[in-house]
């Protein structure tokens, strides 16, 4: 099967590997197309494009945007976006500023909890790119405050934990509009993270579809086989496309391999054709 991966992070956000490395790795796993979907930034796409040309793999311009949603998490993926769109770039800059207001507050809370963590160290570890909670988690592991990134999240950094700080987010409809406005197609990422029952999730997807959502990431590393088929069936009932990806973050999510996910992921190339047709209709 001609495999693809439509969800991967680089060190321009909270992945550990540079874009060229992520591209090479995807090619070495047999992928013929890859989307780079960093949080709140398109700055890694240029390096990825050059590497993809060398590897002979198709590179899809992507982005992942956090939307305002509670009690779970809602992320919207964008594909085939014009990464030079001034509106997109301006809005991403604003979102990063909101992040940069949140981040020092996380460091402050961690210090209050008794940890020797300065925000400067976190920035340095992130390599001055978009700083995310996984960078805090990594530093906590390096300093012996947690045994794993997952433990750092569970004990301190996840939503509702002691060092969790909200950041300003777009409303779901705004995130969708931002992506479509930049010529892209909008896809609901990893729906299991909404924390909803299947019935509730389908109602929400119907609402998002009315706001312009194009697809649902049913094939996802951490989705069970039941979740993969349930979300794919919802998508088809609602006239939405099905997509899939690993959410590769390198060493920040060490159990997730690019293209293969936890070992059982395989996203067929045909799904990309559907997305492309939608994008071409924009
Ligand atoms: P941020 O955008 O900085 O709030 O961080 C979001 C990142 O943290 C994404 O890469 C998520 O996959 C990761 N993340 C969120 N919750 C958890 C969790 N409970 N365990 C591990 N990683 C998480
Ligand atoms: Zn991430
Ligand atoms: Fe996500
Ligand atoms: Fe992601």
């Amino acid at each position: 099967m001609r495999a693809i991966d439509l969800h991967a992070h680089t060190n321009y956000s909270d992945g550990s590997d540079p874009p060229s490395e992520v591209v090479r790795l995807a090619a070495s796993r047999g992928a013929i197309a890859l989307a780079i979907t960093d949080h709140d930034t398109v700055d890694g796409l240029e390096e990825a494009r050059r590497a993809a040309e060398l590897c002979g793999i198709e590179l899809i311009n992507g982005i992942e945007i956090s939307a305002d949603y509670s009690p779970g998490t809602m992320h919207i993926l964008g594909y085939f976006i014009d990464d030079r769109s001034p509106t997109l770039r301006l809005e991403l800059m604003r979102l990063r500023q909101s992040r940069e207001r949140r981040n020092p507050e996380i460091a402050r809370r961690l210090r209050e909890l008794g940890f020797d963590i300065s925000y400067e160290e976190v920035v340095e570890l992130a390599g001055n790119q978009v700083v995310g909670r996984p960078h805090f988690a990594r530093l906590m592991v390096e300093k012996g405050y947690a045994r794993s990134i997952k433990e750092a999240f569970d004990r301190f950094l996840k939503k509702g934990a002691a060092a969790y700080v909200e950041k300003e987010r777009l409303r779901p409809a705004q995130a969708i509009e931002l992506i479509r406005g930049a010529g892209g197609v909008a896809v609901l990422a990893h729906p299991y993270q909404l924390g909803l029952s299947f019935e509730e999730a389908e109602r929400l997807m119907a609402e998002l579809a009315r706001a312009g959502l194009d697809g649902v990431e049913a094939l996802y590393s951490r989705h069970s086989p039941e979740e993969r088929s349930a979300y794919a069936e919802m998508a088809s009932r609602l006239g939405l496309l099905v997509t899939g990806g690993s959410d590769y973050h390198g060493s920040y999510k060490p159990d997730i391999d690019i293209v293969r996910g936890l070992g059982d992921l395989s996203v067929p190339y045909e799904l990309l054709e559907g997305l492309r047709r939608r994008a071409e209709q924009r």
Side-chain angles (χ1 to χ4, degrees):
M1 194 194 72
R2 302 184 300 166
I4 60 172
D5 192 337
L6 296 178
H7 193 159
H9 295 266
T10 77
N11 65 353
Y12 278 76
S13 66
D14 57 2
S16 59
D17 309 340
S20 54
E21 189 52 37
V22 176
V23 167
R24 270 194 294 275
L25 206 55
S28 79
R29 297 280 184 277
I32 58 172
L34 169 74
I36 296 292
T37 55
D38 277 313
H39 301 279
D40 303 346
T41 182
V42 291
D43 292 348
L45 293 175
E46 197 176 308
E47 179 185 329
R49 252 189 314 264
R50 272 183 270 120
E53 224 160 276
L54 291 175
C55 296
I57 181 175
E58 182 180 346
L59 194 272
I60 314 300
N61 280 358
I63 183 97
E64 185 172 24
I65 296 172
S66 310
D68 194 19
Y69 176 77
S70 171
T73 299
M74 187 192 292
H75 291 170
I76 309 281
L77 294 158
Y79 297 111
F80 297 107
I81 45 170
D82 172 8
D83 58 331
R84 292 156 311 180
S85 153
T87 319
L88 178 71
R89 284 187 171 267
L90 195 69
E91 193 58 26
L92 293 179
M93 203 198 319
R94 229 181 44 77
L95 291 171
R96 286 200 298 273
Q97 282 165 356
S98 154
R99 229 176 226 290
E100 281 154 23
R101 282 192 297 273
R102 173 200 71 168
N103 286 335
E105 178 63 17
I106 295 180
R108 201 183 61 75
R109 297 242 185 136
L110 289 171
R111 276 198 304 279
E112 262 176 24
L113 291 166
F115 300 116
D116 174 26
I117 298 261
S118 76
Y119 185 47
E120 289 65 37
E121 292 171 287
V122 183
V123 171
E124 197 186 319
L125 181 144
N128 285 312
Q129 308 288 353
V130 174
V131 173
R133 283 176 289 157
H135 298 120
F136 286 91
R138 157 68 49 87
L139 188 61
M140 295 196 74
V141 172
E142 282 179 8
K143 293 198 164 195
Y145 299 144
R147 272 171 308 214
S148 65
I149 287 176
K150 183 175 182 321
E151 188 189 286
F153 265 93
D154 287 344
R155 295 184 59 195
F156 309 110
L157 295 166
K158 72 176 182 194
K159 206 166 193 169
Y164 179 77
V165 182
E166 277 297 341
K167 66 177 185 297
E168 186 193 326
R169 297 163 200 272
L170 296 180
R171 286 194 304 278
Q174 292 176 310
I176 292 168
E177 173 52 33
L178 182 63
I179 289 163
R180 293 181 63 135
V185 292
V187 170
L188 176 65
H190 41 61
Y192 87 107
Q193 284 188 18
L194 296 166
L196 297 176
S197 71
F198 285 147
E199 291 71 28
E200 293 166 326
E202 183 158 357
R203 270 198 295 278
L204 181 60
M205 284 176 198
E207 204 178 297
L208 295 174
R210 284 191 291 275
L213 188 76
D214 298 289
V216 174
E217 187 182 48
L219 306 181
Y220 182 72
S221 298
R222 296 207 199 284
H223 281 169
S224 67
E226 294 71 33
E227 287 167 330
R228 292 177 197 187
S229 44
Y231 293 128
E233 282 162 23
M234 290 176 208
S236 117
R237 280 193 291 271
L238 296 167
L240 297 169
L241 298 163
V242 170
T243 76
S246 66
D247 210 359
Y248 178 76
H249 280 73
S251 60
Y252 286 98
K253 292 189 182 181
D255 55 335
I256 294 181
D257 195 3
I258 198 155
V259 182
R260 297 175 185 160
L262 300 175
D264 66 344
L265 189 71
S266 100
V267 182
Y269 185 76
E270 289 63 45
L271 299 184
L272 180 57
E273 300 292 13
L275 279 186
R276 197 196 315 276
R277 276 195 296 276
R278 283 247 182 168
E280 281 164 1
Q281 288 160 8
R282 290 283 120 88

